Amino acid sequence: MKSFASLYAELDTTNSTRAKLEAMKRYFATVDAADAAWALYFLAGNRPRQVVPTKQLRALILEAASIPDWLFEECYQAVGDLAETIAHLLPDPGVGSGLPLTKWVEERLLPMRGMEEAMLRETLLRYWSELNDPQRFAWNKLITGAFRVGVSKTLVIRAIAEVAGLDAKVVAERLAGDWQPDAEHFKALIAAEHRAGSITQPYPFFLAHPLQDVPETLGDVGGWQIEWKWDGIRAQLIKRQAQAFIWSRGEELITDRFPEIVQAAQTLSDGSVLDGEILAWDVDKPFPFARLQRRIGRKTLTAKVLSEAPAVLLAYDLLEYEDADIRQFSLTERRNLLEELVERTGHPALRISPMLDEGDWRSYSLLREQSRDRGVEGFMLKRGNSTYGVGRPRGDWWKWKIDPYRVDAVLIYAQRGHGRRASLYTDYTFALWRGDQLVPFAKAYSGLTDEEIREVDAFIRTHTLEKFGPVRSVTPQLVFEIGFEAIQRSTRHKSGIAVRFPRILRRRPDKRIEEADSLETLNAMASSGA
């Protein structure tokens, strides 16, 4: 635990990518394979479910620190992080534990889930008494299920690759799929020679960069394969040894959620891996993503659910063909093989994403304006001679999305952020007009510069009307342009509308609150088929 807590502290206190990389390299070069496996598991974004309910954890801290609930709440709001708050409030830190991370996770963390309350109390107090302050912080991150630190999975993979003397693409590929945090898997991960993976193993996904410039900067349109950008679940469909598997881009095995696609996969030849988008499909076009979300959220797939949101895989790439990895083939070659493969299946749940041919960039720009009417997000632009890469290399794949919906809204509530933003009000609730009343419709916390955040924070502190626990209501005075990707009617929201991916586009100091938009504007957007 000592080495892991030190690594966490190093990563948490620097914004330097180089410093984070070097810290991880030092760690992975010195710890044993079992500890390295669990550290990789956590650093790559995996988290075990919270082992101690928050309510129970808070009650225990109030007792251990001998403080009232209101004081704990004030401390939590000042710090902005539950694990760090607990670490600060716990009395009498220990000298530090020399037990390895593996024992803390496998013999202490995981067995606490479901533990009887009295035993849990005794166990947690004993563990805390062994740990020094940095170790308590890292441990609390694990028991709260909120372990996050500012490193990307790509950077973690790079650190391991450099320590092992391997290509980062090789490490990424070995990590794809159902990788287990144990010594055996970690040794296999960094081995010079690597045994064949499981038949379920997917390939790392190739990702696109957003196109920020005009498409003419990409050169001749003839060198590009252009498709619609579908709004669904990115997935790989695997057919090996007469079995089918579906992996999401988040490396979650979701086979059992889409039986009709599994059925379609039985018509594929063995040794096939397709990349594509899972969509809820309505005859000849996709349903809105919300229809697919309804299905994902159900524990049981009833006949009614399956009929309301019939799923298809719209395939747009072929990564494995007749048991051969063909990612180094050009996109054009892979596409030709994909079309032959899908055409042979003839199953309605397995379709091919059509290529578009408008002739020039200007025509594509005009067609792009129809995206929302077609239920898509814009275009995918893929260089015809590109191979299938790993991660997000720049230059070969671009997503040319349509502009977001926009409304001008009024700031009415604010709450402090978390982590480094715990001392600033950065989480905002925005409202639109319904008659002469402002009705909340969306929350957003991204889109402002650090300087703008400080300015808004100062306004909130001097224009607070009321406090509701951690939330402040503020004088309606600031107007912001809010962007979002999609909109639908909702009985769960006071506004009657739910928007997808809301974020702040810019402040509007030129507008008075009377000039902000109304809910009628949102309803009109929803009625137009958004």
Side-chain angles (χ1 to χ4, degrees):
M1 177 61 95
K2 181 179 179 181
S3 297
F4 181 71
S6 297
L7 172 63
Y8 185 84
E10 282 191 82
L11 298 176
D12 192 48
T13 54
T14 181
N15 289 323
S16 166
T17 300
R18 170 54 60 181
K20 291 179 180 182
L21 177 65
E22 293 303 321
M24 288 190 290
K25 287 169 62 177
R26 287 191 298 272
Y27 178 85
F28 286 116
T30 54
V31 299
D32 66 22
D35 272 19
W38 275 112
L40 168 59
Y41 179 83
F42 294 127
L43 293 172
N46 301 295
R47 296 189 296 275
R49 289 186 296 109
Q50 184 173 0
V51 296
V52 184
T54 300
K55 183 178 179 180
Q56 194 173 348
L57 193 58
R58 285 183 62 143
L60 183 55
I61 293 304
L62 297 180
E63 178 187 346
S66 300
I67 62 172
D69 187 69
W70 69 264
L71 182 54
F72 177 89
E73 187 61 34
E74 286 295 320
C75 293
Y76 177 44
Q77 293 307 318
V79 174
D81 181 274
L82 180 61
E84 187 176 358
T85 303
I86 294 171
H88 286 315
L89 290 174
L90 282 168
D92 306 322
V95 296
S97 171
L99 287 177
L101 176 63
T102 305
K103 287 188 175 294
W104 274 95
V105 174
E106 296 179 0
E107 298 179 14
R108 297 191 168 191
L109 176 72
L110 299 180
M112 285 196 301
R113 183 174 292 119
M115 190 178 285
E116 189 268 332
E117 187 171 349
M119 183 180 291
L120 179 62
R121 176 187 178 280
E122 178 187 342
T123 300
L124 263 179
L125 290 174
R126 185 173 74 252
Y127 292 165
W128 276 325
S129 70
E130 295 180 34
L131 301 170
N132 59 29
D133 284 331
Q135 291 175 347
R136 282 177 171 179
F137 184 26
W139 170 246
N140 292 342
K141 283 289 187 181
L142 297 180
I143 65 175
T144 58
F147 186 93
R148 283 185 292 272
V149 67
V151 294
S152 65
K153 186 176 181 180
T154 301
L155 192 64
V156 180
I157 288 171
R158 180 180 166 191
I160 292 172
E162 292 189 17
V163 168
L166 297 170
D167 188 317
K169 292 180 181 178
V170 171
V171 176
E173 187 171 331
R174 293 178 182 180
L175 266 179
D178 192 18
W179 190 89
Q180 298 299 313
D182 56 43
E184 180 184 354
H185 280 83
F186 190 81
K187 289 175 182 176
L189 176 70
I190 62 174
E193 298 295 329
H194 188 65
R195 66 179 183 274
S198 156
I199 63 168
T200 70
Q201 187 171 16
Y203 294 97
F205 284 86
F206 190 24
L207 306 176
H209 277 275
L211 183 66
Q212 306 289 4
D213 212 336
V214 294
E216 283 79 4
T217 58
L218 300 178
D220 181 15
V221 71
W224 295 86
Q225 176 177 302
I226 302 176
E227 310 162 38
W228 294 113
K229 185 182 186 308
W230 305 101
D231 183 18
I233 299 172
R234 179 88 179 270
Q236 284 182 29
L237 174 61
I238 298 171
K239 171 73 179 302
R240 296 186 182 123
Q241 296 181 22
Q243 298 181 65
F245 311 94
I246 305 173
W247 288 92
S248 72
R249 185 186 135 187
E251 294 187 3
E252 179 185 0
L253 195 59
I254 55 175
T255 312
D256 61 340
R257 307 308 297 163
F258 300 102
E260 60 268 76
I261 297 177
V262 172
Q263 185 183 54
Q266 300 308 318
T267 63
L268 292 170
S269 55
D270 264 351
S272 300
V273 179
L274 284 66
D275 184 11
E277 203 90 5
I278 295 176
L279 302 156
W281 198 256
D282 180 19
V283 185
D284 60 353
K285 64 179 181 179
F287 282 114
F289 185 76
R291 182 74 66 98
L292 190 62
Q293 273 184 315
R294 249 186 276 165
R295 173 167 169 169
I296 297 167
R298 297 293 187 95
K299 291 183 179 180
T300 303
L301 294 178
T302 63
K304 181 181 179 183
V305 170
L306 292 172
S307 65
E308 288 178 347
V312 303
L313 177 76
L314 223 55
Y316 41 65
D317 215 326
L318 185 63
L319 316 184
E320 188 175 308
Y321 181 68
E322 296 181 349
D323 289 316
D325 178 355
I326 62 170
R327 291 175 297 161
Q328 293 307 306
F329 286 22
S330 72
L331 175 60
T332 301
E333 293 171 306
R334 300 195 309 273
R335 174 73 187 206
N336 289 337
L337 291 172
L338 174 67
E339 290 178 352
E340 293 176 11
L341 190 66
V342 172
E343 186 177 348
R344 288 202 300 266
T345 67
H347 196 286
L350 182 57
R351 300 164 181 256
I352 197 152
S353 176
M355 290 193 299
L356 305 173
D357 184 11
E358 294 299 306
D360 57 62
W361 290 120
R362 183 177 180 280
S363 297
Y364 278 112
S365 295
L366 295 173
L367 181 61
R368 178 170 161 265
E369 299 304 315
Q370 302 176 22
S371 295
R372 283 201 173 94
D373 293 336
R374 296 172 179 264
V376 296
E377 298 182 314
F379 291 134
M380 289 296 301
L381 314 177
K382 303 175 183 178
R383 200 180 298 275
N385 62 3
S386 64
T387 59
Y388 191 94
V390 173
R392 206 186 297 268
R394 198 175 189 89
D396 284 338
W397 282 24
W398 299 93
K399 47 187 178 183
W400 186 20
K401 296 180 68 172
I402 48 176
D403 295 332
Y405 289 104
R406 301 165 185 261
V407 292
D408 291 327
V410 181
L411 173 66
I412 58 169
Y413 299 119
Q415 188 171 347
R416 285 175 178 167
H418 292 80
R420 293 186 179 88
R421 289 185 168 185
S423 62
L424 297 168
Y425 286 90
T426 61
D427 296 7
Y428 312 123
T429 299
F430 296 95
L432 298 175
W433 291 105
R434 177 187 282 154
D436 59 357
Q437 288 187 322
L438 285 168
V439 179
F441 89 102
K443 294 183 177 181
Y445 53 86
S446 64
L448 297 181
T449 65
D450 289 344
E451 181 180 353
E452 287 173 326
I453 287 173
R454 287 190 293 270
E455 290 174 358
V456 175
D457 178 78
F459 173 87
I460 291 165
R461 293 175 188 276
T462 56
H463 292 78
T464 296
L465 297 175
E466 292 181 89
K467 294 182 181 179
F468 309 95
V471 179
R472 294 191 179 200
S473 70
V474 298
T475 304
Q477 189 173 317
L478 300 184
V479 179
F480 294 80
E481 185 176 40
I482 307 301
F484 49 93
E485 298 302 319
I487 180 172
Q488 67 182 81
R489 302 190 189 283
S490 170
T491 57
R492 294 174 54 244
H493 294 77
K494 186 176 181 180
S495 64
I497 291 288
V499 298
R500 192 169 175 214
F501 300 142
R503 69 270 193 193
I504 301 167
L505 299 179
R506 59 174 172 153
R507 283 187 63 187
R508 295 300 307 265
D510 58 313
K511 285 204 168 188
R512 296 176 293 109
I513 63 169
E514 293 80 8
E515 298 176 86
D517 285 306
S518 69
L519 287 176
E520 290 181 358
T521 303
L522 278 189
N523 278 303
M525 290 178 179
S527 297
S528 67

